[in-house]
Amino acid sequence: MKILILTIGSRGDVQPYVALGMRLQQHQHDVTIGTCAEFESFISDHGLNYAFINNEQLEFMRSDDGRIAMEHTGNLWEAIQTGRRLLPKVGPMLRRQIDDAWKATQEVQPDLILFHPKALGSADFAERLQIPCMFAFYLPIYVPTGDFPAMGFPGLPLGRWYNRMTVKLINRVTWLATRKHINAWRVANGMARRSGRDFLKRGDGEVIPAIHAFSPSVIPQPDDWPETATVTGYWFLDRAADWQPSAELESFLSAGSPPVYFGFGSIFGRDPSRVTRMIVEAVRAAGVRAIVARGWGGLDPSGMELPDSMLAIDAAPHDWLFERCAAVVHHGGCGTTAAALRSGRPQFICSFFGDQPFWGKTMQSLGVAPAPIPQRRLTPGKLIAAIRQITTDAAMTARAVQLGQQIRSEDGVGNAVRFIER
Protein backbone atom coordinates (compact mmCIF):
# COMPACT_ATOMS: atom_id res chain seq x y z
CA MET A 1 0.00 0.00 0.00
CA LYS A 2 0.92 3.63 -0.44
CA ILE A 3 0.42 5.08 3.06
CA LEU A 4 0.37 8.75 4.06
CA ILE A 5 0.81 9.66 7.73
CA LEU A 6 -0.29 13.19 8.62
CA THR A 7 0.81 14.65 11.95
CA ILE A 8 1.31 18.15 13.33
CA GLY A 9 3.20 19.35 16.40
CA SER A 10 6.49 19.05 18.20
CA ARG A 11 9.10 16.28 17.98
CA GLY A 12 6.94 14.12 20.26
CA ASP A 13 4.13 14.33 17.70
CA VAL A 14 6.40 13.07 14.94
CA GLN A 15 8.81 10.50 16.38
CA PRO A 16 6.28 7.69 17.10
CA TYR A 17 5.03 7.88 13.52
CA VAL A 18 8.57 7.54 12.22
CA ALA A 19 8.85 4.29 14.19
CA LEU A 20 5.53 3.10 12.76
CA GLY A 21 6.45 4.19 9.24
CA MET A 22 9.75 2.34 9.32
CA ARG A 23 8.06 -0.91 10.34
CA LEU A 24 5.35 -0.46 7.69
CA GLN A 25 8.10 0.04 5.13
CA GLN A 26 9.70 -3.23 6.25
CA HIS A 27 6.36 -4.81 5.35
CA GLN A 28 6.76 -3.52 1.78
CA HIS A 29 4.50 -0.49 2.14
CA ASP A 30 5.44 2.88 0.62
CA VAL A 31 5.28 5.39 3.49
CA THR A 32 5.23 9.19 3.42
CA ILE A 33 4.98 11.40 6.49
CA GLY A 34 3.43 14.83 6.04
CA THR A 35 4.37 17.19 8.86
CA CYS A 36 6.09 20.49 9.66
CA ALA A 37 9.08 21.26 7.45
CA GLU A 38 11.38 21.41 10.46
CA PHE A 39 11.30 17.60 10.61
CA GLU A 40 12.03 16.89 6.94
CA SER A 41 15.61 15.71 7.51
CA PHE A 42 14.60 13.71 10.61
CA ILE A 43 12.09 11.80 8.49
CA SER A 44 14.24 11.36 5.39
CA ASP A 45 17.25 10.28 7.49
CA HIS A 46 15.13 7.33 8.63
CA GLY A 47 14.44 6.29 5.04
CA LEU A 48 10.88 7.62 4.78
CA ASN A 49 9.34 9.98 2.24
CA TYR A 50 8.51 13.50 3.39
CA ALA A 51 5.57 15.73 2.39
CA PHE A 52 5.57 19.45 3.16
CA ILE A 53 3.40 21.21 5.77
CA ASN A 54 4.36 24.68 6.99
CA ASN A 55 6.07 25.40 10.32
CA GLU A 56 3.52 27.94 11.55
CA GLN A 57 2.25 25.87 14.46
CA LEU A 58 5.78 25.30 15.76
CA GLU A 59 6.57 29.00 15.37
CA PHE A 60 3.39 29.88 17.25
CA MET A 61 4.34 27.57 20.13
CA ARG A 62 7.65 29.44 20.43
CA SER A 63 6.02 32.88 20.33
CA ASP A 64 5.00 34.84 23.42
CA ASP A 65 1.35 33.89 22.85
CA GLY A 66 2.30 30.25 22.47
CA ARG A 67 4.36 30.21 25.66
CA ILE A 68 1.51 31.81 27.59
CA ALA A 69 -0.93 29.29 26.11
CA MET A 70 1.23 26.38 27.24
CA GLU A 71 1.17 27.70 30.79
CA HIS A 72 -2.60 28.24 30.80
CA THR A 73 -4.06 25.08 29.27
CA GLY A 74 -3.58 22.70 32.17
CA ASN A 75 -7.21 21.55 32.10
CA LEU A 76 -10.12 21.49 29.67
CA TRP A 77 -11.69 24.75 30.89
CA GLU A 78 -8.40 26.65 30.67
CA ALA A 79 -7.80 25.19 27.20
CA ILE A 80 -11.23 26.38 25.99
CA GLN A 81 -10.75 29.87 27.42
CA THR A 82 -7.24 30.22 25.99
CA GLY A 83 -8.38 28.82 22.64
CA ARG A 84 -11.20 31.36 22.36
CA ARG A 85 -8.82 34.23 23.10
CA LEU A 86 -6.27 33.11 20.52
CA LEU A 87 -8.73 32.01 17.82
CA PRO A 88 -8.28 35.14 15.64
CA LYS A 89 -4.56 34.34 15.35
CA VAL A 90 -4.85 30.57 15.18
CA GLY A 91 -7.77 30.34 12.74
CA PRO A 92 -5.99 31.50 9.55
CA MET A 93 -2.99 29.36 10.52
CA LEU A 94 -5.23 26.26 10.71
CA ARG A 95 -6.67 26.95 7.26
CA ARG A 96 -3.19 27.23 5.72
CA GLN A 97 -2.23 24.00 7.47
CA ILE A 98 -5.26 22.22 5.95
CA ASP A 99 -4.36 23.54 2.49
CA ASP A 100 -0.77 22.29 2.82
CA ALA A 101 -1.90 18.88 4.05
CA TRP A 102 -4.39 18.54 1.18
CA LYS A 103 -1.72 19.48 -1.35
CA ALA A 104 0.56 16.82 0.17
CA THR A 105 -2.26 14.27 -0.03
CA GLN A 106 -2.88 15.05 -3.70
CA GLU A 107 0.81 14.67 -4.49
CA VAL A 108 1.12 11.32 -2.69
CA GLN A 109 -2.23 9.86 -3.87
CA PRO A 110 -2.26 7.36 -0.98
CA ASP A 111 -4.25 4.16 -0.58
CA LEU A 112 -4.58 4.84 3.16
CA ILE A 113 -4.23 7.88 5.45
CA LEU A 114 -3.15 7.55 9.10
CA PHE A 115 -3.59 10.75 11.08
CA HIS A 116 -2.91 12.61 14.31
CA PRO A 117 -5.94 14.62 15.55
CA LYS A 118 -4.13 17.94 14.99
CA ALA A 119 -3.84 17.09 11.28
CA LEU A 120 -7.20 18.67 10.54
CA GLY A 121 -9.11 17.55 7.47
CA SER A 122 -7.41 14.15 7.15
CA ALA A 123 -10.66 12.17 7.27
CA ASP A 124 -12.22 14.59 4.78
CA PHE A 125 -9.28 14.14 2.39
CA ALA A 126 -9.82 10.36 2.56
CA GLU A 127 -13.53 10.79 1.91
CA ARG A 128 -12.79 13.03 -1.08
CA LEU A 129 -10.38 10.45 -2.54
CA GLN A 130 -12.68 7.55 -1.57
CA ILE A 131 -9.94 5.76 0.38
CA PRO A 132 -9.82 4.47 3.98
CA CYS A 133 -8.28 6.39 6.87
CA MET A 134 -7.32 5.54 10.44
CA PHE A 135 -6.94 7.65 13.55
CA ALA A 136 -3.52 6.95 15.13
CA PHE A 137 -2.78 8.60 18.46
CA TYR A 138 -1.28 8.11 21.91
CA LEU A 139 -4.29 9.10 24.07
CA PRO A 140 -7.64 7.44 24.84
CA ILE A 141 -9.71 10.49 24.01
CA TYR A 142 -12.31 9.98 21.25
CA VAL A 143 -13.60 6.40 21.65
CA PRO A 144 -16.44 6.34 24.22
CA THR A 145 -16.03 4.02 27.20
CA GLY A 146 -17.62 3.60 30.59
CA ASP A 147 -14.31 2.59 32.16
CA PHE A 148 -12.81 6.06 32.64
CA PRO A 149 -13.49 9.72 31.77
CA ALA A 150 -11.87 11.54 28.88
CA MET A 151 -8.59 13.34 29.41
CA GLY A 152 -9.07 16.56 31.35
CA PHE A 153 -12.12 15.41 33.31
CA PRO A 154 -12.06 14.35 36.97
CA GLY A 155 -12.82 10.75 37.88
CA LEU A 156 -16.14 11.45 39.61
CA PRO A 157 -18.13 8.58 41.24
CA LEU A 158 -21.09 9.10 38.90
CA GLY A 159 -21.02 5.81 37.05
CA ARG A 160 -20.30 4.73 33.51
CA TRP A 161 -22.74 7.18 31.95
CA TYR A 162 -20.61 10.06 33.18
CA ASN A 163 -17.43 8.61 31.68
CA ARG A 164 -19.10 8.11 28.31
CA MET A 165 -20.58 11.62 28.43
CA THR A 166 -17.13 13.19 28.88
CA VAL A 167 -15.91 11.58 25.65
CA LYS A 168 -18.98 12.84 23.79
CA LEU A 169 -18.27 16.31 25.14
CA ILE A 170 -14.67 16.17 23.91
CA ASN A 171 -15.96 15.17 20.49
CA ARG A 172 -18.38 18.09 20.54
CA VAL A 173 -15.79 20.65 21.63
CA THR A 174 -13.35 19.40 18.97
CA TRP A 175 -15.98 19.80 16.28
CA LEU A 176 -17.02 23.29 17.42
CA ALA A 177 -13.39 24.40 17.35
CA THR A 178 -12.63 23.06 13.87
CA ARG A 179 -15.88 22.90 11.87
CA LYS A 180 -15.49 26.35 10.27
CA HIS A 181 -12.16 25.44 8.68
CA ILE A 182 -13.11 21.88 7.75
CA ASN A 183 -16.41 22.87 6.15
CA ALA A 184 -14.73 25.72 4.26
CA TRP A 185 -12.33 23.18 2.76
CA ARG A 186 -15.16 20.74 1.96
CA VAL A 187 -17.22 23.38 0.16
CA ALA A 188 -14.17 24.57 -1.78
CA ASN A 189 -13.61 20.98 -2.93
CA GLY A 190 -17.16 20.25 -4.03
CA MET A 191 -18.28 18.38 -0.91
CA ALA A 192 -21.31 18.92 1.28
CA ARG A 193 -20.84 20.48 4.68
CA ARG A 194 -20.92 18.05 7.52
CA SER A 195 -22.39 18.48 10.96
CA GLY A 196 -21.03 15.32 12.55
CA ARG A 197 -20.12 15.60 16.21
CA ASP A 198 -18.29 12.28 16.29
CA PHE A 199 -14.58 12.69 15.60
CA LEU A 200 -14.34 9.04 14.55
CA LYS A 201 -17.00 9.20 11.83
CA ARG A 202 -16.44 10.57 8.36
CA GLY A 203 -18.87 12.87 6.62
CA ASP A 204 -20.20 9.86 4.67
CA GLY A 205 -20.97 8.06 7.95
CA GLU A 206 -18.12 5.56 7.75
CA VAL A 207 -16.57 4.67 11.12
CA ILE A 208 -12.87 5.54 11.39
CA PRO A 209 -10.72 2.82 12.98
CA ALA A 210 -8.65 4.06 15.94
CA ILE A 211 -5.14 2.88 16.85
CA HIS A 212 -3.86 3.87 20.30
CA ALA A 213 -0.09 3.96 20.82
CA PHE A 214 0.17 3.38 24.55
CA SER A 215 0.75 0.29 26.63
CA PRO A 216 -2.14 -1.87 27.87
CA SER A 217 -0.01 -2.23 31.00
CA VAL A 218 -0.55 1.49 31.56
CA ILE A 219 -4.14 1.90 30.33
CA PRO A 220 -5.90 -1.43 29.64
CA GLN A 221 -8.08 -1.57 26.55
CA PRO A 222 -11.72 -1.11 27.64
CA ASP A 223 -14.00 -4.10 27.14
CA ASP A 224 -16.72 -1.86 25.72
CA TRP A 225 -14.63 -0.56 22.83
CA PRO A 226 -15.73 -1.62 19.32
CA GLU A 227 -13.60 -3.90 17.11
CA THR A 228 -12.51 -0.82 15.19
CA ALA A 229 -10.47 0.46 18.17
CA THR A 230 -7.32 -1.07 19.62
CA VAL A 231 -4.49 -0.46 22.10
CA THR A 232 -1.22 -1.61 20.56
CA GLY A 233 1.53 -0.65 22.98
CA TYR A 234 4.03 2.21 22.58
CA TRP A 235 5.75 3.00 19.28
CA PHE A 236 9.39 3.35 20.28
CA LEU A 237 12.02 4.71 17.92
CA ASP A 238 15.33 3.37 19.19
CA ARG A 239 18.65 5.12 18.74
CA ALA A 240 20.72 4.65 15.62
CA ALA A 241 23.01 1.64 15.78
CA ASP A 242 26.09 3.81 15.31
CA TRP A 243 25.20 6.39 17.97
CA GLN A 244 27.90 6.96 20.59
CA PRO A 245 27.80 9.15 23.74
CA SER A 246 30.31 11.95 24.12
CA ALA A 247 33.42 11.30 26.19
CA GLU A 248 32.20 13.97 28.62
CA LEU A 249 28.87 12.19 29.17
CA GLU A 250 30.48 8.77 29.61
CA SER A 251 33.02 10.20 32.05
CA PHE A 252 30.31 11.91 34.11
CA LEU A 253 28.19 8.75 34.33
CA SER A 254 31.13 6.62 35.44
CA ALA A 255 32.34 9.16 38.02
CA GLY A 256 29.67 8.55 40.64
CA SER A 257 26.17 7.33 41.49
CA PRO A 258 23.45 7.28 38.79
CA PRO A 259 22.18 10.85 38.25
CA VAL A 260 18.66 12.23 38.08
CA TYR A 261 17.72 13.27 34.55
CA PHE A 262 16.02 16.63 33.95
CA GLY A 263 14.61 17.39 30.51
CA PHE A 264 11.58 19.21 29.09
CA GLY A 265 12.11 18.45 25.39
CA SER A 266 10.75 21.11 23.05
CA ILE A 267 8.18 22.34 25.56
CA PHE A 268 9.00 25.53 27.39
CA GLY A 269 7.33 28.38 29.24
CA ARG A 270 8.22 32.03 29.26
CA ASP A 271 11.37 31.66 31.35
CA PRO A 272 13.35 28.40 30.86
CA SER A 273 16.32 29.93 32.70
CA ARG A 274 14.24 30.41 35.86
CA VAL A 275 13.24 26.75 35.90
CA THR A 276 16.84 25.70 35.27
CA ARG A 277 18.06 27.80 38.21
CA MET A 278 15.43 26.12 40.38
CA ILE A 279 16.71 22.72 39.30
CA VAL A 280 20.30 23.65 40.18
CA GLU A 281 19.17 24.83 43.64
CA ALA A 282 17.10 21.68 44.24
CA VAL A 283 19.86 19.33 43.08
CA ARG A 284 22.32 20.93 45.51
CA ALA A 285 19.84 20.73 48.40
CA ALA A 286 18.81 17.12 47.66
CA GLY A 287 22.44 16.00 47.43
CA VAL A 288 22.05 14.12 44.15
CA ARG A 289 23.92 14.08 40.85
CA ALA A 290 22.04 15.32 37.81
CA ILE A 291 22.00 15.62 34.04
CA VAL A 292 20.20 18.62 32.54
CA ALA A 293 19.16 18.20 28.91
CA ARG A 294 18.68 21.43 26.97
CA GLY A 295 16.57 19.56 24.43
CA TRP A 296 14.94 21.94 21.95
CA GLY A 297 14.60 24.85 24.36
CA GLY A 298 12.88 23.33 27.39
CA LEU A 299 15.77 24.15 29.75
CA ASP A 300 18.47 26.80 29.47
CA PRO A 301 21.64 26.39 31.60
CA SER A 302 23.65 28.81 29.44
CA GLY A 303 25.70 31.24 31.47
CA MET A 304 25.21 29.28 34.68
CA GLU A 305 28.04 27.83 36.73
CA LEU A 306 26.93 24.26 37.41
CA PRO A 307 28.31 22.29 40.36
CA ASP A 308 30.51 19.26 39.68
CA SER A 309 27.51 17.08 40.50
CA MET A 310 25.68 18.33 37.38
CA LEU A 311 26.26 18.00 33.65
CA ALA A 312 24.44 19.91 30.91
CA ILE A 313 23.96 18.15 27.56
CA ASP A 314 22.08 19.02 24.39
CA ALA A 315 20.31 15.68 24.15
CA ALA A 316 20.90 11.92 24.22
CA PRO A 317 18.70 8.98 23.18
CA HIS A 318 16.32 8.21 25.99
CA ASP A 319 16.57 4.46 25.45
CA TRP A 320 20.31 4.67 26.19
CA LEU A 321 20.41 7.35 28.87
CA PHE A 322 17.41 6.69 31.12
CA GLU A 323 18.49 3.20 32.15
CA ARG A 324 21.76 4.75 33.36
CA CYS A 325 19.92 7.26 35.57
CA ALA A 326 18.35 6.91 39.01
CA ALA A 327 15.12 8.72 38.06
CA VAL A 328 13.63 10.96 35.39
CA VAL A 329 12.14 14.46 35.85
CA HIS A 330 10.32 15.73 32.76
CA HIS A 331 7.37 17.62 31.31
CA GLY A 332 5.02 14.68 30.83
CA GLY A 333 5.04 14.35 27.07
CA CYS A 334 3.81 10.92 26.00
CA GLY A 335 7.12 9.92 24.41
CA THR A 336 9.28 10.87 27.39
CA THR A 337 6.79 9.27 29.79
CA ALA A 338 6.89 6.05 27.77
CA ALA A 339 10.68 6.05 27.63
CA ALA A 340 10.90 6.54 31.40
CA LEU A 341 8.45 3.68 31.90
CA ARG A 342 10.39 1.35 29.62
CA SER A 343 13.64 2.16 31.44
CA GLY A 344 12.13 0.96 34.72
CA ARG A 345 12.98 4.21 36.52
CA PRO A 346 10.74 6.31 38.79
CA GLN A 347 9.71 9.66 37.35
CA PHE A 348 8.35 13.06 38.36
CA ILE A 349 6.25 15.11 35.96
CA CYS A 350 6.22 18.93 35.89
CA SER A 351 3.51 19.51 33.31
CA PHE A 352 2.84 22.46 31.03
CA PHE A 353 -0.30 21.75 29.02
CA GLY A 354 -2.36 19.33 26.94
CA ASP A 355 -2.01 15.66 27.82
CA GLN A 356 0.90 16.22 30.22
CA PRO A 357 -1.22 16.59 33.42
CA PHE A 358 -3.08 13.43 32.38
CA TRP A 359 0.14 11.43 32.11
CA GLY A 360 1.33 12.88 35.41
CA LYS A 361 -1.77 11.65 37.21
CA THR A 362 -1.61 8.31 35.41
CA MET A 363 2.01 7.75 36.52
CA GLN A 364 1.02 8.61 40.10
CA SER A 365 -1.88 6.11 39.97
CA LEU A 366 0.50 3.41 38.72
CA GLY A 367 2.79 4.02 41.70
CA VAL A 368 5.85 5.02 39.65
CA ALA A 369 5.74 8.78 40.36
CA PRO A 370 4.75 11.30 43.02
CA ALA A 371 1.81 13.63 42.42
CA PRO A 372 2.57 15.82 39.36
CA ILE A 373 3.06 19.56 39.75
CA PRO A 374 2.33 22.08 36.98
CA GLN A 375 5.36 24.11 35.95
CA ARG A 376 3.82 27.40 37.04
CA ARG A 377 3.29 26.03 40.57
CA LEU A 378 6.70 24.46 40.93
CA THR A 379 8.84 25.75 43.80
CA PRO A 380 12.33 24.75 44.98
CA GLY A 381 10.84 23.13 48.07
CA LYS A 382 8.37 21.02 46.08
CA LEU A 383 11.07 19.99 43.63
CA ILE A 384 13.47 18.99 46.43
CA ALA A 385 10.77 16.85 48.07
CA ALA A 386 9.98 15.13 44.75
CA ILE A 387 13.65 14.43 44.01
CA ARG A 388 14.10 12.85 47.42
CA GLN A 389 11.03 10.70 46.97
CA ILE A 390 11.91 9.33 43.52
CA THR A 391 15.47 8.53 44.62
CA THR A 392 14.69 6.92 48.00
CA ASP A 393 11.20 5.34 47.80
CA ALA A 394 11.95 1.60 47.50
CA ALA A 395 8.35 0.64 46.73
CA MET A 396 8.14 3.19 43.91
CA THR A 397 11.42 1.95 42.44
CA ALA A 398 10.27 -1.68 42.61
CA ARG A 399 6.99 -0.84 40.87
CA ALA A 400 8.85 1.08 38.15
CA VAL A 401 11.19 -1.88 37.57
CA GLN A 402 8.23 -4.28 37.30
CA LEU A 403 6.31 -2.08 34.87
CA GLY A 404 9.44 -1.51 32.79
CA GLN A 405 9.85 -5.27 32.34
CA GLN A 406 6.24 -5.56 31.15
CA ILE A 407 6.57 -2.75 28.63
CA ARG A 408 9.86 -4.05 27.23
CA SER A 409 8.11 -7.33 26.44
CA GLU A 410 5.50 -5.60 24.23
CA ASP A 411 5.72 -4.96 20.48
CA GLY A 412 3.52 -1.92 20.02
CA VAL A 413 4.68 -1.09 16.51
CA GLY A 414 4.23 -4.69 15.36
CA ASN A 415 0.72 -4.80 16.83
CA ALA A 416 -0.17 -1.57 15.02
CA VAL A 417 1.09 -2.90 11.67
CA ARG A 418 -0.94 -6.08 12.09
CA PHE A 419 -4.08 -4.07 12.90
CA ILE A 420 -3.57 -1.81 9.87
CA GLU A 421 -3.01 -4.72 7.49
CA ARG A 422 -5.96 -6.65 8.86
Side-chain angles (χ1 to χ4, degrees), residues 48 72 83 116 146 148 155 182 195 209 215 253 266 276 282 291 294 307 328:
L48 302 172
H72 293 85
H116 183 294
F148 46 76
I182 290 174
S195 57
S215 169
L253 289 169
S266 56
T276 309
I291 289 176
R294 299 180 184 90
V328 180

Side-chain angles (χ1 to χ4, degrees), residues 20-38:
L20 177 62
M22 290 173 67
R23 186 73 67 88
L24 285 166
Q25 201 149 273
Q26 290 173 9
H27 283 239
Q28 309 307 310
H29 302 295
D30 183 4
V31 180
T32 300
I33 296 183
T35 192
C36 300
E38 182 170 310

Side-chain angles (χ1 to χ4, degrees), residues 77-371:
W77 177 246
E78 284 186 339
I80 292 173
Q81 292 294 97
T82 301
R84 288 179 62 186
R85 183 175 61 81
L86 295 175
L87 194 58
K89 293 184 178 181
V90 174
M93 180 177 71
L94 293 179
R95 184 55 202 269
R96 289 189 292 271
Q97 175 190 305
I98 291 172
D99 290 342
D100 281 352
W102 171 233
K103 183 177 180 181
T105 303
Q106 290 176 296
E107 291 172 353
V108 173
Q109 287 294 306
D111 303 306
L112 169 69
I113 295 175
L114 305 176
F115 67 95
H116 183 294
K118 284 191 286 189
L120 301 183
S122 297
D124 305 277
F125 304 160
E127 183 183 344
R128 178 71 174 79
L129 296 177
Q130 298 184 336
I131 60 171
C133 64
M134 293 186 185
F135 173 71
F137 196 39
Y138 43 76
L139 276 173
I141 190 170
Y142 290 117
V143 183
T145 177
D147 288 4
F148 46 76
M151 183 196 78
F153 287 87
L156 301 178
L158 298 176
R160 298 179 67 83
W161 72 268
Y162 163 75
N163 293 337
R164 297 184 70 86
M165 180 273 293
T166 63
V167 179
K168 292 179 180 178
L169 185 56
I170 287 287
N171 271 279
R172 178 62 173 162
V173 169
T174 300
W175 175 242
L176 289 174
T178 59
R179 63 180 178 179
K180 174 182 176 181
H181 310 292
I182 290 174
N183 276 333
W185 179 87
R186 289 177 68 94
V187 170
N189 285 273
M191 301 172 69
R193 295 175 179 270
R194 65 179 173 96
S195 57
R197 301 176 184 179
D198 190 341
F199 189 82
L200 295 180
K201 274 192 179 176
R202 300 186 347 173
D204 57 11
E206 184 174 325
V207 173
I208 300 171
I211 313 168
H212 296 85
F214 52 80
S215 169
S217 302
V218 174
I219 304 174
Q221 178 164 323
D223 292 335
D224 59 355
W225 271 9
E227 291 184 354
T228 51
T230 188
V231 173
T232 63
Y234 291 111
W235 303 344
F236 290 112
L237 180 66
D238 291 331
R239 65 186 183 276
D242 60 353
W243 183 85
Q244 292 293 326
S246 67
E248 183 183 33
L249 177 55
E250 281 198 297
S251 176
F252 179 80
L253 289 169
S254 62
S257 59
V260 177
Y261 170 91
F262 293 85
F264 296 142
S266 56
I267 303 301
F268 44 88
R270 283 171 286 181
D271 192 355
S273 295
R274 180 192 68 84
V275 179
T276 309
R277 288 192 296 271
M278 189 188 306
I279 290 171
V280 174
E281 179 182 342
V283 166
R284 282 191 173 117
V288 297
R289 284 162 35 89
I291 289 176
V292 176
R294 299 180 184 90
W296 295 271
L299 293 173
D300 183 12
S302 58
M304 297 183 192
E305 185 175 345
L306 301 180
D308 293 341
S309 60
M310 295 186 71
L311 175 68
I313 63 173
D314 289 328
H318 291 166
D319 61 316
W320 183 89
L321 182 56
F322 284 4
E323 64 182 26
R324 290 165 170 80
C325 293
V328 180
V329 179
H330 61 101
H331 57 298
C334 180
T336 310
T337 302
L341 282 168
R342 185 169 67 159
S343 73
R345 300 297 183 263
Q347 54 188 297
F348 172 54
I349 290 177
C350 311
S351 59
F352 283 97
F353 77 122
D355 61 323
Q356 296 163 10
F358 169 82
W359 289 118
K361 291 176 182 176
T362 302
M363 295 306 102
Q364 180 189 11
S365 70
L366 290 170
V368 299

Side-chain angles (χ1 to χ4, degrees), residues 386-404:
I387 292 170
R388 287 174 175 161
Q389 185 174 359
I390 59 178
T391 55
T392 63
D393 189 325
M396 185 177 290
T397 298
R399 177 59 181 144
V401 169
Q402 178 191 32
L403 193 52

